[in-house]
Amino acid sequence: RVGSLLEVGTGFHPELTGRENIYLNGAILGMKRVEIDRKFDEIVAFAEIKRFLDTPVKRYSSGMYVRLAFAVAAHLEPEILLVDEVLSVGDAQFQKKCLGKMGDVASEGRTVLFVSHNMASIMRLCGRTCLIDYGTLTVIASPEEAVRRYLEEQRQRADSYGSSSSVSDGAIAITQVKIIGSSSQDTEFVFADEHFKITVDFAVNSRLQMCQIATAVVSEVDGAVVFVTTNADADINLLRPLKPGGYIATVFVPGHLLNIGSYYLNVRVWEVGSGGTRQDIASVFNALRFDVVEAGSIATRLSDNRRGYVTPILDWDLTRWD
């Protein structure tokens, strides 16, 4: 038996009430009336629409529609449950409950075919992942590998803004820029609640008096600079003479900082002279593109779709003034 949830309100009649549509939709999905009777209270409780049970569904919001539709489909107890991106309609708490229900279905030995662009949900829910590109199956792999391949393909399709350009006067050469995830592996996507490192490998060809390295995180959407950090931020002593040789500069970026989205890294190196004068000796623009993807632990915090490039968790206090 196959159950599906592919579009909001599929199998619902707008003039019928929520109660009537439970029976109608259940029948379309192959449930017998006695089976619906037995599960009716459980379906209503899961959908959280008891107050509107006898209201025509044409007056429901899209969120109420999907809650009721998923509740019916989830209680069908199919051998195979097909779920499309439709869950993005529900609020964060309901999405979490739906993912939990799908996890329960899978743990009972039944199959869930989950179609989504939510990387965190795929990593959490799926045991095996298929990547489909314009109708062609390109990858069958672990969630980690499929997500990596998907994001890699998206990067390859980025427009000309993503092309890298560099400038150097010969005193120094930037050889590699990398993102190191919380698992200490090279990566091109990070979860929004996890810390990561940016590393810049460079070679010094002739002695430098003092070297200042700056990294800028730039939004892919509009090219705006999100923030700039340099090796002098935390400790001015990091501005020191450098002998010829290879070096790695590392900056640590905390979790819960960058908003979900795609970004580029720009890197610039100056030689700092007496009196604080700076000479630009090397730079790489659009050195690396990376993605910040949603993590389950922050779904509720970002459920208001807040704007901005950064989403820090800040300490608040509320005090009576009278």
Side-chain angles (χ1 to χ4, degrees), residues 22-37:
I22 289 175
Y23 283 94
L24 173 63
N25 194 230
I28 291 173
L29 292 175
M31 298 172 72
K32 299 183 183 299
R33 185 178 181 87
V34 64
E35 187 179 1
I36 300 173
D37 287 339

Side-chain angles (χ1 to χ4, degrees), residues 187-200:
T187 185
E188 291 173 333
F189 74 94
V190 294
F191 290 114
D193 63 345
E194 293 182 346
H195 66 273
F196 63 94
K197 297 185 292 187
I198 301 170
T199 64
V200 179

Side-chain angles (χ1 to χ4, degrees), residues 172-190:
I172 187 173
I174 298 171
T175 56
Q176 191 172 43
V177 180
K178 294 190 294 186
I179 298 284
I180 308 296
S182 59
S183 61
S184 299
Q185 300 294 319
D186 295 8
T187 185
E188 291 173 333
F189 74 94
V190 294

Side-chain angles (χ1 to χ4, degrees), residues 22-293:
I22 289 175
Y23 283 94
L24 173 63
N25 194 230
I28 291 173
L29 292 175
M31 298 172 72
K32 299 183 183 299
R33 185 178 181 87
V34 64
E35 187 179 1
I36 300 173
D37 287 339
R38 177 164 49 86
K39 298 178 180 177
F40 186 85
D41 290 341
E42 193 176 343
I43 292 171
V44 173
F46 189 92
E48 300 175 1
I49 53 127
K50 187 174 182 179
R51 287 177 53 201
F52 309 100
L53 195 56
D54 294 306
T55 301
V57 297
K58 67 181 180 181
R59 305 193 187 282
Y60 283 17
S61 67
S62 58
M64 293 168 67
Y65 248 98
V66 75
R67 292 161 85 97
L68 187 57
F70 186 86
V72 176
H75 290 81
L76 171 64
E77 296 183 358
E79 279 70 41
I80 301 173
L81 177 62
L82 311 178
V83 183
D84 204 345
E85 199 80 71
V86 66
L87 286 184
S88 60
V89 178
D91 60 59
Q93 191 60 36
F94 187 72
Q95 288 180 37
K96 183 176 180 181
K97 185 159 70 169
C98 291
L99 290 172
K101 185 67 175 179
M102 286 190 287
D104 293 342
V105 171
S107 67
E108 292 168 2
R110 291 177 280 155
T111 299
V112 178
L113 182 57
F114 179 53
V115 182
S116 179
H117 291 90
N118 186 316
M119 301 297 110
S121 296
I122 290 172
M123 297 278 283
R124 171 188 164 191
L125 184 69
C126 300
R128 203 72 176 155
T129 307
C130 302
L131 180 60
I132 299 175
D133 184 23
Y134 290 98
T136 301
L137 180 62
T138 60
V139 175
I140 302 178
S142 67
E144 293 80 4
E145 175 63 16
V147 166
R148 187 191 66 79
R149 287 283 297 274
Y150 169 74
L151 294 175
E152 186 178 272
E153 289 181 10
Q154 296 306 302
R155 278 186 288 276
Q156 292 173 353
R157 290 173 181 166
D159 58 24
S160 58
Y161 174 75
S163 60
S164 176
S165 60
S166 60
V167 177
S168 174
D169 73 350
I172 187 173
I174 298 171
T175 56
Q176 191 172 43
V177 180
K178 294 190 294 186
I179 298 284
I180 308 296
S182 59
S183 61
S184 299
Q185 300 294 319
D186 295 8
T187 185
E188 291 173 333
F189 74 94
V190 294
F191 290 114
D193 63 345
E194 293 182 346
H195 66 273
F196 63 94
K197 297 185 292 187
I198 301 170
T199 64
V200 179
D201 295 20
F202 61 98
V204 175
N205 301 317
S206 58
R207 181 182 172 87
L208 297 176
Q209 197 55 27
M210 285 189 180
C211 181
Q212 184 173 11
I213 306 167
T215 298
V217 175
V218 180
S219 170
E220 182 190 44
V221 175
D222 54 12
V225 175
V226 179
F227 67 81
V228 177
T229 179
T230 86
N231 61 323
D233 289 348
D235 186 354
I236 194 66
N237 292 321
L238 290 177
L239 295 180
R240 64 179 189 268
L242 296 182
K243 298 178 181 179
Y247 295 86
I248 299 177
T250 304
V251 57
F252 300 86
V253 182
H256 298 295
L257 178 63
L258 289 173
N259 206 346
I260 294 162
S262 299
Y263 302 89
Y264 285 99
L265 290 178
N266 294 341
V267 179
R268 179 166 286 178
V269 182
W270 296 282
E271 184 174 17
V272 182
S274 59
T277 59
R278 297 190 306 177
Q279 179 184 354
D280 194 349
I281 56 176
S283 59
V284 180
F285 299 98
N286 305 333
L288 178 68
R289 180 184 184 276
F290 69 100
D291 297 279
V292 177
V293 299

